[in-house]
Amino acid sequence: MQKVGESPPHPPGRLIGQVLVDGGLRLQEKLITAALVAALSMAEAAGAQEIRKVSAPPATEPAQIRVTAIVQSRATMRVLHQERTLVVTPQDVARGYVDVPAASRIEVRNNNRRGFLLVFEGISAPDAPFGKVSVRGFERDVEIGPGGGFVPHSYAPAPVTEELSYRFSLDRDARPGTYSWPLKVSVRPM
């Protein structure tokens, strides 16, 4: 006779490992049942409602779906080549300017249909002898001040690769020498 709280005797010939596996499976079954009961109780407390079947429209009526998406404007630039220094010779000083052909080569990707701005920022040192700068590229010449400026460019669905040439006007007290590149180029969507 079995007492309350005692495990039933295992049949003779069964291995202890099999008895433990069977007990573990029974315990797992009880835990799963308890978890399901708890989940259903919480669903009722949260005001869960029955899902009712909704009949589909007749097959003769076409279904329409409207999808709206907002894509953020983005313009990126990859520098393929950029001169690091600007060399001013005595001839440049006498002439009053320095020409630097093909000093920058960039690739721009832009998804804004209004186009993008190519932005030039002056990063020259206070003692640099440069004034205004003419930038040739993007099918036109643009003049910017020593502090920088921007060049608008129209939208192109494919990446735009451009080579930029520069003419730096020199101040009257300019001296020959090697200077750090005086402009930083970046891009922004319009």
Side-chain angles (χ1 to χ4, degrees):
M1 185 165 151
Q2 181 181 347
K3 294 181 182 177
V4 178
E6 269 185 14
S7 300
H10 62 279
R14 286 187 70 199
L15 298 173
I16 187 71
Q18 186 61 44
V19 172
L20 290 172
V21 167
D22 290 345
L25 290 174
R26 279 195 301 277
L27 178 61
Q28 184 180 15
E29 204 174 274
K30 288 179 183 179
L31 289 172
I32 290 172
T33 303
L36 287 173
V37 168
L40 290 173
S41 300
M42 285 191 279
E44 285 180 23
Q49 298 178 1
E50 178 184 347
I51 299 174
R52 295 190 178 117
K53 185 176 179 182
V54 178
S55 61
T60 57
E61 292 182 29
Q64 293 183 354
I65 298 176
R66 180 178 294 189
V67 177
T68 303
I70 296 174
V71 178
Q72 294 293 323
S73 293
R74 184 168 183 223
T76 59
M77 183 184 78
R78 187 167 64 125
V79 178
L80 305 173
H81 168 74
Q82 177 60 61
E83 291 292 330
R84 296 185 185 274
T85 59
L86 180 62
V87 178
V88 177
T89 66
Q91 293 83 7
D92 296 328
V93 172
R95 197 174 40 237
Y97 61 87
V98 180
D99 278 333
V100 189
S104 304
R105 185 170 174 79
I106 58 173
E107 178 186 84
V108 176
R109 294 175 184 264
N110 172 51
N111 68 354
N112 187 328
R113 297 220 179 247
R114 291 183 292 170
F116 62 89
L117 295 175
L118 194 59
V119 181
F120 295 91
E121 296 177 63
I123 56 171
S124 59
D127 63 340
F130 314 115
K132 63 184 177 183
V133 182
S134 294
V135 181
R136 188 175 315 120
F138 294 105
E139 302 174 359
R140 64 179 161 213
D141 291 357
V142 176
E143 195 170 280
I144 59 175
F150 61 89
V151 180
H153 193 281
S154 59
Y155 170 75
V160 176
T161 302
E162 192 64 45
E163 193 169 77
L164 303 174
S165 297
Y166 303 87
R167 175 174 282 184
F168 293 90
S169 296
L170 297 174
D171 295 338
R172 290 183 185 174
D173 57 348
R175 293 185 179 190
T178 301
Y179 299 89
S180 296
W181 189 256
L183 289 175
K184 176 183 171 188
V185 183
S186 61
V187 68
R188 294 184 191 144
M190 278 208 256

